């Protein structure tokens, strides 16, 4: 089964800096999604980008998708301590098949 | 709306004991999923139900059974728990077979 692989595994930055996380996957997709997980909590959906889209914005989040390279990136601008969490990409190939998650990037934002 | 509700939140079992994790959603979603999360492994799919009346195996189904009781409820059963099943279990749902997932808060299971 295809799987997103996030890079880096862990990232530590200062408050106010930008954070960039990358995701690579193996086969064709219908869409790619990013989720956030605070410690001890369930995952929360952040943003979905379809295979025919190249870039999408939501507040301080910017997601890009390059289907030729089978990769996506999540940029969080002007990070805050409250952004400290794990971030997961998930691929959806459509056709009623389940999402497949990567192993996540653990982001620490230091105040 | 409560969203996706999982019970229990915490459970400790002895090897060989059985238990059922319950999941209910109040969003009228067709598809429901059970994932397990282990350190360094991300989320792995155990079983899913694309619609009421259907269930399918995911990546790691061994040692588990599921029941889609009705459109709202999807339970996960461990018939004979093993230490390797110590994990955090997440139930999720979505309106149909594509789109964003809505997750419960997780059930933390320890098997001694």
């Amino acid at each position: 089964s295809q799987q997103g692989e996030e890079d880096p595994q862990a990232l530590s930055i200062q408050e106010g800096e930008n954070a960039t996380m990358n995701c690579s996957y193996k086969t064709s997709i219908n869409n790619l999604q990013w989720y956030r997980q605070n410690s001890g909590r369930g995952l929360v959906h952040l943003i979905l980008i379809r295979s025919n889209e190249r870039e999408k914005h939501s507040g301080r989040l910017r997601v890009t998708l390059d289907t030729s390279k089978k990769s996506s990136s999540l940029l969080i601008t002007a990070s805050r301590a409250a952004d400290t969490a794990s971030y997961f990409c998930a691929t959806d190939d459509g056709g009623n098949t389940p999402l497949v998650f990567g192993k996540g990037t653990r982001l620490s934002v230091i105040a | 709306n409560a969203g996706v509700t999982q019970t229990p939140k915490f459970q400790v079992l002895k090897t060989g004991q059985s238990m059922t994790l319950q999941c209910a959603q109040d969003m009228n979603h067709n598809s429901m999923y059970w994932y397990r999360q282990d350190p360094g492994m991300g989320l792995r799919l155990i079983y899913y139900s694309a619609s009421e009346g259907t269930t399918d195996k995911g990546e790691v189904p061994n040692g588990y059974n599921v029941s889609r009781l009705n459109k709202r409820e999807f339970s996960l059963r461990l018939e004979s728990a093993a230490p390797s099943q110590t994990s955090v279990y997440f139930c999720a749902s979505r309106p149909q077979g594509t789109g964003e997932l809505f997750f419960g808060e997780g059930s933390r299971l320890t098997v001694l």
Side-chain angles (χ1 to χ4, degrees), chain B residues 55-70:
Chain B
T55 60
D56 285 287
K57 295 179 180 179
E59 183 185 353
V60 288
N62 290 346
Y64 305 94
N65 286 302
V66 289
S67 295
R68 184 72 182 267
L69 304 170
N70 47 56

Side-chain angles (χ1 to χ4, degrees), chain A residues 35 37 40-41 96-97 99, chain B residues 35 37 94 97 101 105 108:
Chain A
Y35 288 79
Q37 183 181 33
R41 305 296 299 274
N96 221 24
T97 56
L99 293 184
Chain B
Y35 289 89
Q37 184 177 33
R94 58 182 176 178
L101 280 175
E105 289 295 311
R108 285 148 186 81

Side-chain angles (χ1 to χ4, degrees), chain B residues 26-93:
Chain B
D26 61 2
M27 297 172 283
N28 201 36
H29 288 171
N30 285 322
S31 302
M32 298 186 72
Y33 307 82
W34 277 105
Y35 289 89
R36 61 178 287 175
Q37 184 177 33
D38 302 293
M41 298 293 292
L43 275 80
R44 293 182 292 170
L45 182 68
I46 306 171
Y47 270 95
Y48 68 103
S49 171
S51 61
E52 188 179 357
T54 69
T55 60
D56 285 287
K57 295 179 180 179
E59 183 185 353
V60 288
N62 290 346
Y64 305 94
N65 286 302
V66 289
S67 295
R68 184 72 182 267
L69 304 170
N70 47 56
K71 192 171 186 178
R72 289 186 64 247
E73 299 172 286
F74 188 39
S75 63
L76 178 71
R77 183 160 177 85
L78 288 70
E79 291 290 352
S80 179
S84 61
Q85 294 178 305
T86 293
S87 188
V88 182
Y89 292 85
F90 286 98
C91 179
S93 70

Side-chain angles (χ1 to χ4, degrees), chain B residues 8 25 35 52 58 66 83 98 100 103 106:
Chain B
Q25 51 88 12
Y35 289 89
E52 188 179 357
V66 289
T98 189
E100 71 173 274
F103 280 84

Side-chain angles (χ1 to χ4, degrees), chain A residues 23-26 65-72:
Chain A
C23 171
S24 60
Y25 58 92
K26 298 173 185 174
L65 178 65
D66 187 335
T67 53
S68 67
K69 295 181 179 179
K70 292 186 171 57
S71 67
S72 174

Side-chain angles (χ1 to χ4, degrees), chain A residues 21-66:
Chain A
M21 289 157 270
N22 302 298
C23 171
S24 60
Y25 58 92
K26 298 173 185 174
T27 61
S28 297
I29 59 171
N30 177 272
N31 65 71
L32 186 143
Q33 303 177 29
W34 285 91
Y35 288 79
R36 166 192 169 125
Q37 183 181 33
N38 288 349
S39 180
R41 305 296 299 274
L43 279 74
V44 175
H45 181 262
L46 292 176
I47 196 164
L48 180 155
I49 186 164
R50 302 190 189 284
S51 60
N52 61 354
E53 297 175 311
R54 290 298 167 257
E55 187 171 312
K56 203 162 182 179
H57 296 256
S58 176
R60 292 183 298 112
L61 304 181
R62 172 179 170 250
V63 170
T64 62
L65 178 65
D66 187 335

